[in-house]
Amino acid sequence: MSMLETAASAGTTTAPVESLTRRERVVLAELAEDVTLEEIATRLFVTRNTVKSQVRSVYRKIGVSTRSEAVAWAVAQGIR
């Protein structure tokens, strides 16, 4: 069972889209593409470490722990 299914079955909710910063929403949308963090960083004109920090922040806010869970959450929220 994925973390999303676990959270849903436990009755907990994840953060609303509005709790993410604009940049976090951009990074989350980029995660849905078949690209590396390095490629995302290049596209956004930041370092890979900046992207890593933003990804960790997104994961924490939406209550997931993997890229695939984050992408599934984004799709469900209409971000991607």
Side-chain angles (χ1 to χ4, degrees), residues 5-59:
E5 293 167 334
T6 304
S9 66
T12 60
T13 59
T14 57
V17 173
E18 297 80 29
S19 69
L20 299 175
T21 66
R22 182 173 53 200
R23 179 57 89 163
E24 288 169 341
R25 288 191 297 270
V26 169
V27 169
L28 182 55
E30 290 284 337
L31 289 176
E33 303 296 323
D34 188 25
V35 294
T36 65
L37 294 182
E38 186 69 38
E39 291 169 320
I40 294 171
T42 300
R43 289 180 182 183
L44 301 179
F45 304 101
V46 297
T47 68
R48 182 176 180 276
N49 284 337
T50 297
V51 173
K52 283 174 55 178
S53 294
Q54 292 166 336
V55 167
R56 277 193 308 268
S57 179
V58 168
Y59 286 6

